[in-house]
Amino acid sequence: MDSTEGIVLDQARSAIEELGVGDFVSPEEVAKSVTGKVTYWEKPLPSGEWLLLIRLFSGAIQREEVFLGSILFNAFLSKAFLRVFNDGKLGRASLVANDVDDYYFLVCTASGVEDLADALRSEVEHSLPDLFFGAPDEGRGIYGDLARMFTFRKSEFEPFPVYAVPEFLAPALEKAVREQLRILLTEERFPGSLRTVLAAIAFFYGRTSGGSGDAQSFPKFVEHLATDREYDNLLKTDDVKRAFNVGEVAKPAIKESIDKEAYSTKHLRQLLLGLLNGFAASIDAGSGKWLLPFLRKDGKFISLEPSEYVNCLLGEVQLGYYVFQRSFNRTRVPCRLCNRVEAVVEDRYVTTGLRSFRFHNQSVRHQAEKVCPRCALYSYLGQKLLGTHMVSVAGKLPQVPKTYNLIFHYGKHTDDEIRRLADQIDDLWGLVRRHEDLDRIRREARKQVLALSERASHEHDSAKSSKLAEELAAKADELKAVEADLENTERDIAARYPWVKEMGGSVVPAENHVLDTLANLDISENRVERHVLGLGISGYRMILFVLPQVRPPRDAVEHDFAQRRFSSSRIMVTALLSLLRELCGCDGPFYYQSLPVLAADAFRRDTFYVRNEPIAVAKVHSEYEVVTQIAWKLVWQRGSDGFVRKVVLAEKLLEDPLPTFAEVMRGSLVPGETKRSYRRLPGAYREDWGTYDFTAYAAFVNRLSRIQEVKDSGGEN
Amino acid sequence: MAVKIDREVIDEFCPRLFRVLDSLGLLPRTLLAKPNEFEKYPRLLFGSIQRYNDVDAGFKEWESRILREAAGKNECYPDIEGLRQWMLDHSEKFVRKANLQHLSTSLYARLFQYLYPRRVLANAYCLNHRGEPAVLGKFKRLVSAQDLETRQDAQADLEALLDTDLLQSVDPLVSKLKTVYANEWETVVDDAKKSLIAGAHYYCKVLSGTEKPVPAELEAEAEQQAEPYDNGKGEEE
């Protein structure tokens, strides 16, 4: 059972067993239909029902801005379809298999496909508030958490993708925002999230924009709330003065108080809680005055009726032979991302990322709307999972969606195993980060020890000299302790993940390409950027790894400087895939910048698919690991700058092994050179040989010769 | 797209060429020599062939140049002629620009790979027997031989000693090396013997202690390199 057919056959058997229809259809027939991309068939059952094989098709949009969201939406759709059968009125259904676009179900039902489609439409419409603002629930296809979108600290640029939200969900949004604010206003959270709270209150409840507007300036909003009659006197002047420690209620004074942190945290928290209660009382009483006033007035929401909006989301989705229709005004330029649906959403950094406001076809037609509601939702779902961050663009600091690396995998993993997989990534990442921190401390301590020794050697005053000696001894002890901690961390890595050394030649993260890749991923301490999602139901299912991108060097002009080099390097991508493969411990295929497809002979086990090119795992071990081990031993620079250099060297070594290594030897081995471009490989002077021990170089030349041999004999994929 | 090269021919050619050059004493005795000292004579050969776009003409020009500069030219002439013949048999490969380009760029790595185990074996043998009259005497005899007959006799005597003694005395010292060069170990040992004989003048000095294989100041320079990441550039804060 090496191929697609084997895997689908396994799954078909389970689905048939679950529905108890083994007498009427064989697993082989179902598997053949799935791999043959059959859309629909039906068979009568003795009970009067029909056994249907239905394909639910929703094409994923392969644009970075929306790809993750479209996958999440497809998973949501598949689970919504299964929920249609929850009450048993429409029959029973079981998921057979799925890839990114297609979900195949076996259904026992007395209803027609049109009825099932209607039920799906209703279920989607009913679940929209949860999809947008609900807590994560993988069973319902709801991923991510609204809390991850509340990390912004400014409201000058839209910090929240309100442009992706339909207007009929504005009350639900306000309720969810209020809930988030209450969480952030708890005594423990408030000091750390004060800026977010202030920006969120101004953005969501501000009434005006522009020069004297308050939606972009919290101090101005406070001034209005305390002094402007139109603002219902929701804040009392004395309370404001006490909270901000100011003599007068005016924007400059309040701003200064916030900037200089002169406010009273306790009183400010009480003031904001009171303000929130004021908004809530007005809204709950049915008034729309404080219901996201400026956002609604400015028309930031998508103004479509619920049914129109759902039609827009489901447009071109296919359920068996039934195609959900979409309406499209042909006189307008379609969405710049999917090119299928009418664009009704304006370009904004927080919705469409850093590539917003560039030249697009819509610009020629003076059409401000560039994105369709469906792509806007996809972007929103991606942000709900990964969050947003502030990025510098032409001197401005807009909030943009976080970028990611997506890796697909087919494997037999239960929900618990998937959770364990995520924990293992965290654990390994934690060890790597700990090693990095300790290494930094060690280098600093070494420098200090050297400096102190130098000073001590030149000091003639005995009192000062003895004081320096004491300091030196203390620093030396500190150095020893850090070195011991480092050794322990390396021992922990080797003990918990023994394959790491075999794969990368070392357990020191800076010298091991696999660990260094992990160390250079832009994961934050709370690890919201890392996710392992099981997209199928059970059995041999599709797993999605969402990992952050490689962080750029400090002085990089382009934000994706390191990521681009990483993603265009087969060697590095397969290194990351090898790491995930070892962690999950199965032989299923992995995909990077490739889409898994359920078709005959579409994939094999023990294979990585990188940009649709199949690469055998054995090849990765035999060839790629040699060049990466060399590159990681020879390049001395650290951080993401060093990472890029290592990637470039590894690629060059693979492309042209011996000439590149000759160049490396010139920059590493030749004595008397003051500026070495590479580290010298370890090898002490051997008195008995009368020379340095350069066996490491010889061993690498031998291994590279073998790679050259394979390449020249045409053994390369 | 990568240009295809005739790797098998190149892989066979390189040791042949290096062996001839080593027997003529035209390759550095120390592994810490500058790359151009290693590459000088092979590069001259490739340059001559490229200039004439003809292997025979290029080889002859190169041959006259190295014979002017080499020691022991008479004994080595058959080897040079053998190399010329072999190159003529594969002449179409040596006028291909891609092959010559690859040879030029990979030369340092290939030369290092060839010389490293041979030099280590020869050095280790001499250092292991430093000051031993029995061994030193045989080397001195070969070096001081005036006529051909005495020389041949002394060479045979030294060969016999090396056949029995070389591996036996250095085997435990070079086990690490043996692992890396396992596939060609016998050839390496044979070449090391030939190198010891061809470089008898130099190794005589090593055996007597007047020549140190590595100058002292290079040891210090190399030790400084032992500490990795000593330059803060590129490090993450």
Side-chain angles (χ1 to χ4, degrees):
Chain A
M1 243 195 309
D2 263 358
S3 58
T4 327
E5 290 91 334
I7 290 166
V8 177
L9 190 66
D10 217 8
Q11 289 296 101
R13 205 168 282 131
S14 308
I16 290 169
E17 201 175 307
E18 189 187 330
L19 295 178
V21 290
D23 293 341
F24 315 105
V25 68
S26 69
E28 287 77 13
E29 190 182 350
V30 174
K32 201 176 165 197
S33 304
V34 170
T35 53
K37 295 268 169 198
V38 169
T39 306
Y40 175 84
W41 54 240
E42 58 187 32
K43 283 174 189 285
L45 293 174
S47 60
E49 288 184 317
W50 292 84
L51 175 65
L52 316 179
L53 177 91
I54 296 187
R55 181 179 77 150
L56 175 63
F57 168 81
S58 173
I61 311 295
Q62 293 180 51
R63 289 274 311 213
E64 191 193 18
E65 297 94 328
V66 291
F67 187 42
L68 173 61
S70 69
I71 292 163
L72 298 179
F73 182 70
N74 288 355
F76 164 78
L77 270 189
S78 72
K79 302 212 166 137
F81 184 64
L82 283 175
R83 282 203 299 279
V84 161
F85 301 92
N86 269 358
D87 58 6
K89 285 179 190 162
L90 287 173
R92 294 163 295 141
S94 176
L95 176 69
V96 180
N98 69 286
D99 55 25
V100 173
D101 299 325
D102 299 316
Y103 285 75
Y104 285 90
F105 298 90
L106 270 181
V107 179
C108 292
T109 181
S111 309
V113 174
E114 289 78 3
D115 298 330
L116 297 180
D118 281 343
L120 175 62
R121 190 186 283 114
S122 309
E123 179 59 32
V124 169
E125 188 177 329
H126 171 73
S127 306
L128 278 178
D130 287 340
L131 180 65
F132 272 95
F133 317 116
D137 181 353
E138 287 198 21
R140 301 185 67 218
I142 293 164
Y143 301 94
D145 196 334
L146 203 64
R148 289 169 196 162
M149 300 165 89
F150 278 75
T151 52
F152 52 86
R153 297 163 63 84
K154 286 169 173 283
S155 61
E156 283 97 325
F157 286 88
E158 284 89 352
F160 187 92
V162 280
Y163 283 87
V165 182
E167 193 164 5
F168 64 86
L169 287 181
L173 169 63
E174 192 280 331
K175 210 170 165 188
V177 167
R178 217 188 310 155
E179 211 169 289
Q180 285 304 321
L181 284 172
R182 286 200 193 284
I183 294 168
L184 295 177
L185 277 165
T186 50
E187 215 166 328
E188 317 81 65
R189 300 280 304 271
F190 182 59
S193 49
L194 182 131
R195 291 266 178 183
T196 305
V197 172
L198 304 187
I201 289 178
F203 178 70
F204 287 106
Y205 297 100
R207 297 179 61 80
T208 53
S209 179
S212 62
D214 45 35
Q216 289 151 321
S217 165
F218 179 77
K220 193 78 192 167
F221 190 35
V222 172
E223 185 189 319
H224 287 164
L225 283 164
T227 59
D228 193 330
R229 281 185 184 177
E230 284 292 307
Y231 284 67
D232 298 347
N233 280 333
L234 284 177
L235 292 183
K236 301 278 176 283
T237 324
D238 288 344
D239 292 345
V240 173
K241 284 181 184 170
R242 191 172 53 169
F244 289 100
N245 284 326
V246 290
E248 55 163 347
V249 180
K251 178 189 165 181
I254 297 169
K255 186 174 183 308
E256 194 183 339
S257 166
I258 296 169
D259 290 345
K260 293 185 175 169
E261 298 184 4
Y263 49 80
S264 151
T265 309
K266 184 184 157 195
H267 292 128
L268 180 56
R269 187 174 150 266
Q270 280 168 356
L271 182 87
L272 298 174
L273 276 172
L275 179 63
L276 212 54
N277 289 337
F279 294 146
S282 164
I283 294 164
D284 293 345
S287 162
K289 187 171 182 181
W290 293 106
L291 181 65
L292 314 177
F294 177 70
L295 302 181
R296 286 195 301 134
K297 189 177 83 182
D298 201 41
K300 289 189 192 293
F301 295 106
I302 298 170
S303 73
L304 287 175
E305 289 301 312
S307 59
E308 287 176 318
Y309 183 72
V310 172
N311 281 345
C312 194
L313 295 186
L314 295 180
E316 290 186 350
V317 169
Q318 294 172 19
L319 184 67
Y321 57 79
Y322 183 90
V323 182
F324 289 86
Q325 294 302 316
R326 61 180 168 87
S327 58
F328 183 36
N329 179 354
R330 301 258 168 217
T331 60
R332 295 178 67 82
V333 184
C335 169
R336 75 172 176 83
L337 297 175
C338 68
N339 205 31
R340 291 180 194 161
V341 185
E342 187 180 342
V344 297
V345 179
E346 287 183 28
D347 241 5
R348 283 292 181 276
Y349 282 122
V350 75
T351 315
T352 42
L354 287 170
R355 294 195 187 96
S356 307
F357 307 111
R358 296 196 177 173
F359 175 80
H360 301 116
N361 285 340
Q362 292 85 349
S363 321
V364 185
R365 304 268 187 98
H366 301 288
Q367 183 179 315
E369 298 84 8
K370 292 183 180 173
V371 180
C372 68
R374 194 171 58 176
C375 286
L377 169 68
Y378 293 165
S379 167
Y380 182 97
L381 294 179
Q383 293 179 50
K384 196 177 165 208
L385 187 72
L386 302 179
T388 57
H389 61 162
M390 209 155 58
V391 169
S392 170
V393 185
K396 297 168 183 169
L397 290 168
Q399 199 77 11
V400 297
K402 282 186 183 166
T403 43
Y404 48 82
N405 280 304
L406 285 191
I407 293 156
F408 295 98
H409 164 57
Y410 273 112
K412 207 163 190 171
H413 300 290
T414 61
D415 287 344
D416 283 344
E417 282 170 345
I418 289 173
R419 267 191 292 279
R420 209 162 34 242
L421 206 50
D423 291 343
Q424 277 186 314
I425 294 175
D426 285 350
D427 181 50
L428 185 55
W429 183 82
L431 285 170
V432 169
R433 182 56 69 92
R434 181 173 155 73
H435 193 283
E436 271 193 334
D437 292 342
L438 287 169
D439 193 36
R440 200 173 296 125
I441 297 168
R442 177 178 64 171
R443 273 179 283 147
E444 196 50 47
R446 268 189 188 165
K447 271 185 204 164
Q448 288 174 0
V449 167
L450 280 175
L452 284 169
S453 315
E454 179 74 14
R455 273 175 62 195
S457 65
H458 291 101
E459 186 57 67
H460 300 300
D461 186 321
S462 61
K464 284 183 184 172
S465 184
S466 66
K467 199 182 169 193
L468 276 174
E470 273 174 33
E471 272 183 55
L472 186 59
K475 203 38 89 181
D477 286 346
E478 192 185 309
L479 179 60
K480 216 175 275 177
V482 174
E483 279 172 344
D485 277 352
L486 262 173
E487 267 178 39
N488 287 339
T489 312
E490 284 165 18
R491 212 171 294 137
D492 284 348
I493 295 175
R496 287 187 229 170
Y497 307 98
W499 40 266
V500 161
K501 187 165 185 187
E502 199 183 313
M503 207 185 264
S506 166
V507 288
V508 178
E511 293 173 11
N512 181 310
H513 64 288
V514 178
L515 297 180
D516 203 26
T517 307
L518 198 60
N520 276 291
L521 292 180
D522 206 1
I523 306 182
S524 54
E525 280 302 326
N526 54 14
R527 293 165 198 180
V528 293
E529 301 88 353
R530 179 280 301 139
H531 298 276
V532 187
L533 309 174
L535 295 183
I537 302 295
S538 61
Y540 218 97
R541 66 207 289 203
M542 193 167 80
I543 317 284
L544 175 63
F545 293 89
V546 186
L547 297 172
Q549 296 199 337
V550 178
R551 63 168 169 258
R554 266 172 295 165
D555 50 355
V557 179
E558 300 151 314
H559 72 285
D560 59 350
F561 175 78
Q563 171 64 24
R564 272 195 288 122
R565 275 147 190 86
F566 166 79
S567 67
S568 59
S569 163
R570 264 185 312 172
I571 300 174
M572 293 321 301
V573 169
T574 52
L576 183 62
L577 300 185
S578 299
L579 168 79
L580 297 177
R581 184 174 180 274
E582 289 292 340
L583 285 174
C584 88
C586 83
D587 59 359
F590 282 82
Y591 299 81
Y592 183 81
Q593 293 185 350
S594 309
L595 286 185
V597 179
L598 283 174
D601 284 331
F603 63 74
R604 304 197 74 78
R605 294 179 197 232
D606 284 326
T607 307
F608 298 140
Y609 292 84
V610 180
R611 288 181 289 283
N612 295 324
E613 180 193 347
I615 301 171
V617 170
K619 181 187 171 75
V620 173
H621 289 314
S622 64
E623 289 179 33
Y624 295 0
E625 281 173 12
V626 180
V627 293
T628 43
Q629 281 178 22
I630 298 174
W632 259 256
K633 281 196 163 65
L634 286 163
V635 174
W636 53 263
Q637 285 94 344
R638 295 191 174 196
S640 45
D641 176 45
F643 181 76
V644 170
R645 286 169 197 261
K646 288 166 188 168
V647 173
V648 171
L649 176 61
E651 284 292 334
K652 279 171 76 180
L653 280 167
L654 187 69
E655 181 66 32
D656 208 0
L658 285 180
T660 307
F661 198 67
E663 193 187 316
V664 165
M665 287 170 73
R666 283 172 203 278
S668 147
L669 188 65
V670 182
E673 293 286 334
T674 49
K675 282 186 181 175
R676 288 187 192 286
S677 16
Y678 299 100
R679 277 173 70 193
R680 178 174 286 175
L681 290 176
Y685 183 75
R686 285 191 62 161
E687 290 287 349
D688 54 346
W689 288 9
T691 185
Y692 292 92
D693 182 355
F694 292 138
T695 315
Y697 286 93
F700 277 135
V701 177
N702 263 352
R703 293 173 77 184
L704 288 171
S705 306
R706 283 200 288 275
I707 293 181
Q708 182 96 47
E709 203 171 322
V710 174
K711 282 165 76 81
D712 294 342
S713 63
E716 201 184 13
N717 275 321
Chain B
M1 208 180 94
V3 181
K4 193 144 175 74
I5 54 153
D6 298 296
R7 198 193 63 84
E8 278 181 16
V9 175
I10 290 172
D11 282 357
E12 198 183 335
F13 163 71
C14 284
R16 282 173 184 267
L17 171 67
F18 301 156
R19 206 163 284 130
V20 168
L21 288 171
D22 200 23
S23 62
L24 286 167
L26 294 175
L27 293 178
R29 292 284 159 207
T30 166
L31 292 162
L32 291 171
K34 303 267 187 198
N36 55 354
E37 290 176 47
F38 285 101
E39 297 172 333
K40 181 180 174 188
Y41 294 100
R43 276 186 186 279
L44 283 172
L45 173 62
F46 306 149
S48 295
I49 293 173
Q50 262 183 319
R51 195 158 47 251
Y52 293 104
N53 199 27
D54 180 273
V55 175
D56 199 24
F59 192 91
K60 280 188 173 153
E61 185 188 68
W62 176 75
E63 184 188 67
S64 65
R65 166 94 188 248
I66 58 161
L67 286 176
R68 275 202 302 277
E69 297 179 16
K73 50 191 96 169
N74 291 337
E75 290 88 336
C76 296
Y77 192 75
D79 294 338
I80 299 174
E81 188 51 27
L83 178 67
R84 188 179 76 89
Q85 204 51 54
W86 189 88
M87 286 184 75
L88 286 177
D89 291 345
H90 299 87
S91 57
E92 76 284 3
K93 312 284 185 198
F94 289 99
V95 288
R96 270 196 67 202
K97 203 176 167 187
N99 287 342
L100 288 175
Q101 174 71 21
H102 175 82
L103 270 169
S104 300
T105 48
S106 64
L107 198 53
Y108 184 40
R110 288 176 182 278
L111 263 161
F112 180 85
Q113 179 73 350
Y114 176 85
L115 277 185
Y116 177 63
R118 290 155 177 87
R119 291 287 184 265
V120 168
L121 268 182
N123 277 349
Y125 179 76
C126 292
L127 291 169
N128 200 30
H129 293 285
R130 187 186 278 181
E132 282 182 24
V135 179
L136 184 59
K138 290 194 191 300
F139 273 85
K140 275 189 173 162
R141 199 177 148 222
L142 176 62
V143 171
S144 58
Q146 297 294 321
D147 56 275
L148 185 63
E149 198 180 332
T150 324
R151 185 170 170 73
Q152 280 175 345
D153 194 30
Q155 188 170 325
D157 198 18
L158 183 55
E159 270 174 13
L161 171 74
L162 293 174
D163 282 345
T164 54
D165 197 31
L166 177 65
L167 259 190
Q168 202 184 344
S169 58
V170 297
D171 205 36
L173 303 176
V174 294
S175 55
K176 190 177 175 185
L177 208 59
K178 203 172 167 180
T179 319
V180 174
Y181 288 88
N183 294 338
E184 45 174 328
W185 187 242
E186 281 177 21
T187 318
V188 167
V189 174
D190 279 349
D191 286 340
K193 283 177 200 165
K194 284 177 192 156
S195 181
L196 277 165
I197 293 165
H201 273 281
Y202 171 79
Y203 289 113
C204 215
K205 291 180 198 166
V206 178
L207 278 164
S208 60
T210 52
E211 174 81 42
K212 278 192 171 182
V214 176
E217 64 268 24
L218 286 182
E219 286 182 48
E221 196 276 339
E223 274 169 13
Q224 281 175 7
Q225 295 294 322
E227 171 60 30
Y229 310 124
D230 49 354
N231 186 335
K233 192 189 162 199
E235 289 180 1
E236 197 197 340
E237 266 185 351

